[in-house]
């Protein structure tokens, strides 16, 4: 399986990192080795002093597809969940400055937290509110209505480049409020009041 991630999909988050608003979605991948095993803590990697949490809505692809038209994209997923795209912001800043790929900053072991999924029918995907709590305090409060590209548009876009397969995941981008994690933090992801994940940082 593969993990396809979208960057810069919320205007306020683009602003907080002083990035340019993209003309098309920013896309990068994480390998399956990036997945944090269930019930494991996240260990801050030794190569970074500034690992950030980014809570994101996740889509689980349910069948193979290529060149999917956005209007048919909802046939390609049944479940949505939440996850974290852990990002070594200092490493990423270095990569950006040099025009290098982001994988060392974004695709390292444990960098993909994948929470519990729920049937998509339980939500209004165009108006889905979700939060990240750090030590029981809300640090990110997002809503899919603020996405620059909606879920079905993202599926249409990425499937022009990558054949989607059953079990693939799409990380749809983070809203504003990203920040650094420290040892002993506890991170909890909530979508419309339902807990999707809870992890410890070590
Ligand atoms: Zn992200």
């Amino acid at each position: 399986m593969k993990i396809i991630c979208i960057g810069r999909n919320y205007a306020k988050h683009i602003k907080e990192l002083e990035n340019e608003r993209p003309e098309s979605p920013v896309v990068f991948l994480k390998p399956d080795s990036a997945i944090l095993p269930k019930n494991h803590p996240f260990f801050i990697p030794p190569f970074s002093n500034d690992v950030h949490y980014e809570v994101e809505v996740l889509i689980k692809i349910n069948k193979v597809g290529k060149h999917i038209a956005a209007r048919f994209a909802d046939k390609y997923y049944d479940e949505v969940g939440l996850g974290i795209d852990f990002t070594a912001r200092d490493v990423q800043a270095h990569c950006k400055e040099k025009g290098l790929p982001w994988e060392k900053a974004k695709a390292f072991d444990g960098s993909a937290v994948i929470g519990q999924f729920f049937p998509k029918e339980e939500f209004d995907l165009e108006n889905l509110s979700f939060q990240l709590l750090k030590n029981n305090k809300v640090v990110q409060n997002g809503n899919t209505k603020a996405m620059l590209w909606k879920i079905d548009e993202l599926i249409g876009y990425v499937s022009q480049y990558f054949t989607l397969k059953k079990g693939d995941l799409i990380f749809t981008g983070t809203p504003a409020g990203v920040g650094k994690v420290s040892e002993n933090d506890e991170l909890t992801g909530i979508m419309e009041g339902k807990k999707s994940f809870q992890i410890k940082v070590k």
Side-chain angles (χ1 to χ4, degrees):
M1 60 83 71
K2 60 186 170 296
I3 300 171
I4 301 171
C5 303
I6 305 301
R8 303 181 195 171
N9 200 25
Y10 290 84
K12 280 186 196 160
H13 171 62
I14 294 171
K15 227 173 161 186
E16 75 180 343
L17 292 186
E18 296 176 358
N19 282 318
E20 240 172 73
R21 197 181 174 118
E23 283 163 20
S24 50
V26 173
V27 180
F28 59 95
L29 302 181
K30 291 183 192 258
D32 59 2
S33 50
I35 296 170
L36 185 70
K38 284 251 179 300
N39 302 317
H40 273 231
F42 171 73
F43 286 92
I44 297 172
F47 51 78
S48 176
N49 292 313
D50 195 22
V51 173
H52 280 199
Y53 51 76
E54 294 190 351
V55 71
E56 312 202 358
V57 173
L58 272 47
I59 304 300
K60 191 188 280 183
I61 297 298
N62 64 6
K63 62 179 167 193
V64 72
K66 192 177 167 67
H67 296 296
I68 299 164
R71 66 185 186 281
F72 300 127
D74 68 316
K75 309 274 180 259
Y76 290 81
Y77 61 99
D78 301 312
E79 294 180 295
V80 297
L82 284 185
I84 299 179
D85 165 23
F86 275 121
T87 303
R89 197 70 73 199
D90 44 359
V91 178
Q92 189 193 28
H94 175 81
C95 295
K96 276 187 192 169
E97 188 189 306
K98 305 269 181 194
L100 295 169
W102 290 359
E103 277 78 3
K104 288 196 287 184
K106 287 278 199 184
F108 56 86
D109 288 359
S111 63
V113 173
I114 296 165
Q116 194 190 326
F117 283 83
F118 302 97
K120 69 177 179 192
E121 289 76 24
E122 291 183 14
F123 307 104
D124 174 0
L125 295 180
E126 302 261 307
N127 184 11
L128 169 68
S129 112
F130 58 102
Q131 290 80 33
L132 182 73
L133 281 67
K134 185 171 100 169
N135 307 326
N136 294 317
K137 207 180 132 226
V138 175
V139 286
Q140 286 191 276
N141 193 1
N143 190 301
T144 54
K145 69 181 180 212
M147 285 178 160
L148 299 182
W149 288 277
K150 304 295 176 193
I151 290 167
D152 292 351
E153 293 170 332
L154 292 173
I155 290 172
Y157 185 77
V158 299
S159 71
Q160 295 177 68
Y161 298 89
F162 310 112
T163 297
L164 301 182
K165 294 185 177 177
K166 188 178 160 108
D168 286 351
L169 298 176
I170 301 177
F171 278 57
T172 59
T174 195
V178 300
K180 185 178 176 172
V181 289
S182 308
E183 272 182 44
N184 300 317
D185 281 346
E186 185 177 65
L187 300 170
T188 309
I190 309 275
M191 56 196 306
E192 296 291 354
K194 295 169 203 260
K195 193 202 280 185
S196 178
F197 64 79
Q198 183 157 42
I199 62 153
K200 276 269 183 200
V201 177
K202 299 277 181 193

